[in-house]
Amino acid sequence: MSLILIALISLASLVLLNPDAAPPPPAPADLPDNHAVATALFETADRCMACHNGVSTSTGEDVSIGFDWRASMMANAARDPYWQAAVRRETLDHPGIAGAIEDKCATCHMPMARYEAHMTGGQGGVFANLPAGGSGTRSATLAADGASCSACHQIQPEGLGDPSSFTGGFKVDESTPWGDRAILGPFQVDPGRKALMQSATGFIPGQGVHIQASEVCASCHTLYTHAYDDEGNEVGELPEQVPYLEWRESVYAQEGRSCQSCHMPLVPEPVPVTRVLGQPRDDVSRHVFRGGNFFMLGMLNRYRDELGVEALPQELDAAVRRTVEHLQARAARVTVDRTSLAEGELSARIRVENQGGHKLPTAYPSRRAWLHITVTDGGGETVFESGAFRADGSIQGNDNDLDGARYEPHHRVITAPDQVQIWESVMVDWRDQVTTGLSYGVRFVKDNRILPRGFRKESSHQDVAVYGGAVADDDFTGGADDVLLRIPVPAEGGPFAVDVELWYQPIGYRWAHSLGEYDSFESERFARYYDAMAGGSAVVMEATSVQIR
């Protein structure tokens, strides 16, 4: 048994017998004596893990909050090498506003460091806090913790869901001094356990049911970016990622199914949230934060030493498996029907259904899903193929992967191998040129990402609207998209097998390679990582096959 656990149990016994006997709470770690405690708002997750780890189900499955969290993209938001390279690219594109760009990008990737910087009249920085935790300063230590415990669990309910709370506009209590600050969760906590946590961390646990509401997630996952021209003049604003707004127009919102219901699944039996005098609770949310970025989780694991990753290799391996399983089990369904074979022409309807509560794919616009269609004849020879994934991370036949100035249009009918149905968002700059630079993007020229059920494209808000060829596609509706395959085949070659795979890639080829064009440490490092791992940058979400005679 660790010394800290022994001390906490001893303290717990004292507190439960006499809460008034608890010693005064400690000052937050790494604060100099002359620092005004009024500006200390946060603590790093290691202070929380001492008690909130070591929790298992009756079958022995570890559901510890700390272990789950530290292998998530939330915990590694500041270590993400793609994000670091992307921020560097933006500052090189717009050096005159580099400080403002870093401040905005730190809002959700380094929220604790950025919030405290603003409390003292400064602004958030990215590169001054890198490598993660390397400088040893309080700012760098908080920054390295990413989206951490005392950031999310101090978000106040006021204004959540309102546009003022978007783009990292969440509010934290700035007036209560250190030692009396509330930390919010979904459960009521008795006075003895409150005193115990206050003594161990300086926070007093309180009930805040809003912590389980989608609006908490919306603060950072509803992001608007400003667009600039080459002279640094602001020329527009872009809804860069708005999964919360997409969710609001889906049946998930109508049915009361929150973001957390999918991304923080409930433990299927009562468990305590802490191993120190914890009481079993119903409906404990796992802090796994299931998303879609299996590729970055694998990259963090492979280059863990260079990136300062703290999660254990097996924890990140488990996070990758959970992410892929989530994509394959819950994200989409593919069917093939209405098949025919007549006069040397094969036709079939391919339907892709979105099983999630937002667009598929959603959030950061580097993400894409597409169809890989293969038709083979009775002898097993391939007579048609569209959308093959290549080892360098590109899609064969995709216009944008071949030429960054172009993009693949939305297809209602597939008739040729160089037609690939790709569900994605494509930005253009103020000159109407295709771009992967967020600070250049003024509007979407294509957004045919598959809509969630209940979404009405004809009446949707412009920030979540459909753009490009899918607007006029009557088979592109809330919940699904239908694509017609119609190709010539040898008259005597049957029976024919039609194999359809739905692929997903978190960081598309062009998005990765655009970063590699910049002369910076972060850009060159990410390009090296991507080239080494590109063959595993995509995964099959769903597959089906039919025989046509």
Side-chain angles (χ1 to χ4, degrees):
M1 184 178 294
S2 69
L3 292 177
I4 189 171
L5 182 55
I6 294 172
L8 285 170
I9 291 176
S10 300
L11 176 61
S13 301
L14 173 65
V15 169
L16 289 174
L17 290 172
N18 181 12
D20 295 332
D30 204 28
L31 278 182
D33 293 339
N34 62 353
H35 193 289
V37 293
T39 64
L41 305 180
F42 306 101
E43 191 53 273
T44 51
D46 56 326
R47 287 292 188 94
C48 309
M49 287 188 187
C51 291
H52 290 285
N53 279 341
V55 177
S56 300
T57 66
S58 59
T59 61
E61 182 183 9
D62 193 315
V63 292
S64 298
I65 290 173
F67 291 154
D68 278 350
W69 167 83
R70 74 178 180 183
S72 71
M73 288 305 304
M74 299 280 280
N76 292 285
R79 297 182 179 88
D80 180 341
Y82 177 83
W83 173 73
Q84 292 179 14
V87 177
R88 180 64 79 186
R89 178 249 173 98
E90 301 294 342
T91 62
L92 292 174
D93 282 343
H94 307 285
I97 53 171
I101 289 172
E102 286 196 45
D103 179 67
K104 187 163 190 175
C105 294
T107 304
C108 293
H109 281 255
M110 297 176 169
M112 298 188 297
R114 193 258 188 183
Y115 209 106
E116 286 197 1
H118 276 241
M119 278 283 291
T120 56
Q123 65 179 15
V126 172
F127 300 108
N129 289 319
L130 295 175
S135 71
T137 65
R138 174 169 174 80
S139 178
T141 300
L142 292 177
D145 236 29
S148 190
C149 315
S150 65
C152 293
H153 286 275
Q154 286 194 87
I155 292 177
Q156 301 298 303
E158 291 77 21
L160 291 181
D162 185 82
S164 64
S165 71
F166 299 158
T167 315
F170 58 87
K171 301 299 181 185
V172 170
D173 174 13
E174 299 177 3
S175 60
T176 302
W178 188 263
D180 294 320
R181 301 187 62 76
I183 199 84
L184 303 171
F187 305 116
Q188 291 185 338
V189 182
D190 62 68
R193 290 180 173 85
K194 284 185 178 181
L196 169 61
M197 185 167 176
Q198 183 183 19
S199 298
T201 67
F203 290 111
I204 303 173
Q207 187 176 31
V209 294
H210 67 281
I211 206 72
Q212 292 182 311
S214 296
E215 286 70 20
V216 169
C217 310
S219 293
C220 278
H221 291 281
T222 310
L223 176 61
Y224 290 82
T225 52
H226 296 284
Y228 302 88
D229 61 20
D230 284 336
E231 283 71 49
N233 301 307
E234 187 172 336
V235 292
E237 184 181 66
L238 185 81
E240 184 251 270
Q241 57 174 288
V242 289
Y244 168 74
L245 301 183
E246 297 163 8
W247 167 84
R248 276 203 322 201
E249 303 207 22
S250 76
V251 295
Y252 273 61
Q254 299 162 21
E255 296 169 355
R257 299 166 67 184
S258 68
C259 304
Q260 293 90 329
S261 67
C262 284
H263 298 284
M264 298 180 69
L266 298 179
V267 180
E269 63 181 76
V271 293
V273 297
T274 172
R275 64 177 174 174
V276 180
L277 297 175
Q279 56 189 121
R281 305 279 195 177
D282 292 319
D283 298 335
V284 172
S285 296
R286 291 200 66 176
H287 285 55
V288 290
F289 301 103
R290 294 189 306 200
N293 206 347
F294 65 91
F295 181 55
M296 183 51 61
L297 291 168
M299 187 175 288
L300 287 163
N301 206 8
R302 179 166 177 172
Y303 298 102
R304 54 185 302 104
D305 293 337
E306 293 182 44
L307 299 171
V309 174
E310 295 182 357
L312 299 177
Q314 59 268 31
E315 292 170 350
L316 280 165
D317 285 340
V320 171
R321 287 195 302 272
R322 281 195 298 261
T323 302
V324 173
E325 289 169 359
H326 175 66
L327 289 168
Q328 294 178 336
R330 299 178 63 95
R333 180 170 178 260
V334 179
T335 56
V336 179
D337 61 10
R338 299 183 186 177
T339 61
S340 69
L341 180 62
E343 298 180 352
E345 183 180 84
L346 179 150
S347 67
R349 184 186 73 164
I350 302 169
R351 165 163 285 196
V352 179
E353 297 176 70
N354 181 357
Q355 307 279 52
H358 44 62
K359 292 183 181 182
L360 175 69
T362 191
Y364 192 75
S366 69
R367 301 175 177 186
R368 59 186 182 180
W370 74 94
L371 289 180
H372 176 213
I373 306 169
T374 307
V375 180
T376 54
D377 63 18
E381 294 295 320
T382 299
V383 298
F384 179 86
E385 185 174 24
S386 166
F389 177 63
R390 304 172 68 179
D392 64 356
S394 65
I395 304 170
Q396 187 170 343
N398 175 27
D399 289 348
N400 185 247
D401 289 351
L402 293 169
D403 180 355
R406 301 165 56 206
Y407 64 93
E408 189 75 14
H410 174 80
H411 295 285
R412 304 177 70 171
V413 183
I414 299 291
T415 61
D418 63 350
Q419 296 173 333
V420 187
Q421 182 66 321
I422 305 174
W423 293 283
E424 61 185 345
S425 56
V426 177
M427 305 182 301
V428 294
D429 63 17
W430 79 100
R431 299 163 298 191
D432 280 341
Q433 294 181 359
V434 175
T435 183
T436 56
L438 293 181
S439 296
Y440 279 131
V442 297
R443 65 185 179 91
F444 292 111
V445 69
K446 175 187 179 183
D447 186 351
N448 68 335
R449 294 172 297 161
I450 305 174
L451 306 173
R453 287 186 300 113
F455 193 106
R456 297 178 60 84
K457 70 178 182 181
E458 62 275 8
S459 59
S460 62
H461 189 276
Q462 64 178 6
D463 289 351
V464 294
V466 177
Y467 293 98
V471 173
D473 184 354
D474 294 337
D475 294 323
F476 184 88
T477 59
D481 184 23
D482 294 347
V483 183
L484 180 62
L485 176 67
R486 184 182 295 150
I487 58 170
V489 293
E492 305 299 326
F496 294 94
V498 179
D499 295 292
V500 180
E501 297 173 331
L502 176 65
W503 283 75
Y504 167 73
Q505 187 178 41
I507 303 175
Y509 174 87
R510 183 58 54 194
W511 286 81
H513 280 261
S514 293
L515 292 180
E517 298 170 2
Y518 287 80
D519 183 16
S520 75
F521 165 77
E522 295 83 9
S523 305
E524 293 170 359
R525 179 183 62 183
F526 178 75
R528 170 168 56 89
Y529 290 176
Y530 189 89
D531 288 344
M533 299 182 63
S537 64
V539 67
V540 176
M541 298 169 65
E542 176 82 347
T544 190
S545 180
V546 297
Q547 291 277 336
I548 303 179
R549 300 178 180 275

